[in-house]
């Protein structure tokens, strides 16, 4: 049957067969039955993404977040906030739970998760390059507020030329740049496209960007952005940081050192 007592949920969620059964049951359960499953996960959220059982339990927790309204998942949000969000974002399973929360909770709540990720700009840059953290940053670009997108976009623009070139070619950060070009506000999109064009124009100093596996996708995204607006590639110019844009730094955040002078 579809009925399962809350006290039996965790034991089921942490095994290979049990997690499959629970996930299939959740697809068929009523909302009340799903709430019983959620009740059985309460107090186990940290284990569900960081413990040895996380490889199975994280799938059940994700499904509960997706299939129940936020009011029934407040315990997940609360237990996630009890730990360092940046560390969670760099965890194989923690990054998945954060993404589901950002996708399915309302903005007034998700700010509590997102702002700690953005407050330290050096750590934010680290997340962009991280194998798991980059997915959370991409999720913020898609589902976060405009000021969150502005912070991410400006952190990218503040990279010195050589670091920006490496970011374009990087397996993880290249995807963040693509998303930023797609989701940021118009002025920041333009600044990022111009920065990509500028760095490509001077990349004789480094291995070619256009021919790199991931850099080629960023270049294509920049070209697509121009094409959609009926524009042609401009004469490359140095773009430092979109300082004129509002909301580029969170209140109380430590300022980032100014970028180096143009080459």
């Amino acid at each position: 049957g579809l009925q399962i007592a809350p006290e039996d949920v965790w034991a089921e969620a942490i095994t290979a067969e049990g997690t499959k059964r629970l996930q299939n049951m959740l697809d068929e359960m009523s909302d009340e039955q799903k709430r019983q499953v959620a009740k059985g996960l309460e107090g186990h959220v940290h284990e569900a993404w960081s413990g040895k059982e996380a490889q199975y339990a994280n799938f059940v927790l994700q499904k509960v977040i997706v299939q129940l309204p936020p009011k029934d998942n407040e315990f997940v949000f609360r237990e996630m906030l009890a730990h360092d969000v940046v560390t969670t974002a760099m965890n194989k399973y923690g990054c998945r739970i954060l993404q589901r929360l950002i996708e399915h909770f309302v903005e007034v709540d998700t700010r509590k998760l997102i702002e700690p990720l953005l407050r330290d700009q050096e750590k934010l840059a680290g997340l962009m390059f991280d194998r798991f953290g980059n997915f959370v940053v991409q999720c913020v670009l898609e589902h976060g507020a405009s000021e969150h997108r502005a912070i991410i976009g400006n952190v990218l623009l503040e990279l010195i030329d050589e670091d920006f070139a490496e970011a374009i070619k990087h397996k993880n950060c290249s995807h963040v740049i693509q998303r930023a070009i797609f989701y940021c506000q118009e002025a920041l999109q333009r600044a990022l496209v111009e920065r990509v064009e500028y760095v490509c124009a001077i990349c004789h100093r480094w291995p070619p960007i256009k021919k790199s596996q991931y850099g080629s996708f960023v270049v294509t995204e920049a070209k697509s952005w121009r094409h959609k607006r009926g524009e042609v590639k401009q004469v490359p110019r140095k773009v430092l940081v979109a300082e004129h844009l509002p909301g580029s730094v969170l209140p109380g955040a430590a300022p980032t050192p100014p970028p180096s002078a143009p080459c």
Side-chain angles (χ1 to χ4, degrees):
L2 296 177
Q3 196 69 34
I4 182 169
E7 59 267 24
D8 297 328
V9 169
W10 182 246
E12 190 80 353
I14 61 176
T15 67
E17 290 303 316
T19 188
K20 292 177 183 176
R21 276 195 299 270
L22 269 179
Q23 290 175 71
N24 290 333
M25 288 168 65
L26 282 164
D27 287 332
E28 305 295 331
M29 283 176 163
S30 66
D31 285 349
E32 180 53 39
Q33 289 171 324
K34 291 174 184 177
R35 281 191 281 271
Q36 293 303 304
V37 174
K39 188 176 180 181
L41 295 172
E42 192 165 355
H44 294 289
V45 171
H46 188 249
E47 296 168 84
W49 67 262
S50 69
K52 63 180 186 293
E53 305 93 349
Q55 62 176 316
Y56 304 123
N58 87 90
F59 294 110
V60 178
L61 185 58
Q62 286 185 73
K63 198 134 196 173
V64 165
I65 295 169
V66 171
Q67 295 201 2
L68 282 173
K71 65 182 178 64
D72 294 320
N73 285 315
E74 289 180 356
F75 73 93
V76 183
F77 202 88
R78 184 175 62 251
E79 292 182 42
M80 290 295 280
L81 283 174
H83 301 274
D84 178 54
V85 181
V86 174
T87 301
T88 307
M90 294 189 291
N91 177 275
K92 179 178 181 178
Y93 305 115
C95 75
R96 301 176 187 180
I97 307 304
L98 285 177
Q99 287 175 81
R100 299 298 85 78
L101 291 172
I102 292 169
E103 290 165 356
H104 294 279
F105 271 67
V106 296
E107 185 183 303
V108 67
D109 290 325
T110 59
R111 283 178 177 275
K112 299 171 188 174
L113 288 174
I114 293 172
E115 293 189 355
L117 296 171
L118 309 183
R119 187 160 285 119
D120 186 315
Q121 295 187 29
E122 186 175 337
K123 289 183 179 179
L124 172 57
L127 286 174
M128 295 179 187
F129 284 87
D130 185 75
R131 62 184 297 201
F132 303 122
N134 83 90
F135 292 112
V136 179
V137 179
Q138 290 183 61
C139 189
V140 173
L141 282 166
E142 182 174 356
H143 298 280
S146 59
E147 63 262 36
H148 298 151
R149 298 186 182 106
I151 292 168
I152 295 168
N154 276 291
V155 167
L156 286 168
L157 288 173
E158 288 176 350
L159 294 173
I160 62 172
D161 291 335
E162 191 163 4
D163 289 346
F164 193 81
E166 288 304 313
I168 293 174
K169 295 182 293 181
H170 195 271
K171 179 179 180 179
N172 304 321
C173 196
S174 61
H175 297 298
V176 175
I177 297 173
Q178 287 177 258
R179 289 277 184 163
I181 291 173
F182 190 87
Y183 285 112
C184 283
Q185 49 269 63
E186 180 87 7
L188 255 179
Q189 290 176 342
R190 184 174 297 280
L192 286 163
V193 168
E194 290 178 354
R195 187 72 186 281
V196 170
E197 293 169 347
Y198 174 82
V199 170
C200 285
I202 62 170
C203 73
H204 61 275
R205 293 168 51 190
W206 312 296
I209 291 172
K210 297 178 190 177
K211 295 182 180 180
S212 67
Q213 181 179 357
Y214 300 103
S216 62
F217 294 118
V218 177
V219 172
T220 298
E221 185 72 40
K223 288 180 178 177
S224 175
W225 188 91
R226 291 279 192 200
H227 179 74
K228 288 175 184 175
R229 289 156 181 79
E231 299 177 1
V232 294
K233 180 179 176 181
Q234 304 297 302
V235 177
R237 65 182 182 84
K238 179 71 173 185
V239 181
L240 292 177
V241 60
E243 295 172 340
H244 60 284
L245 292 172
S248 60
V249 180
L250 279 173
T256 301
S260 62
C263 301

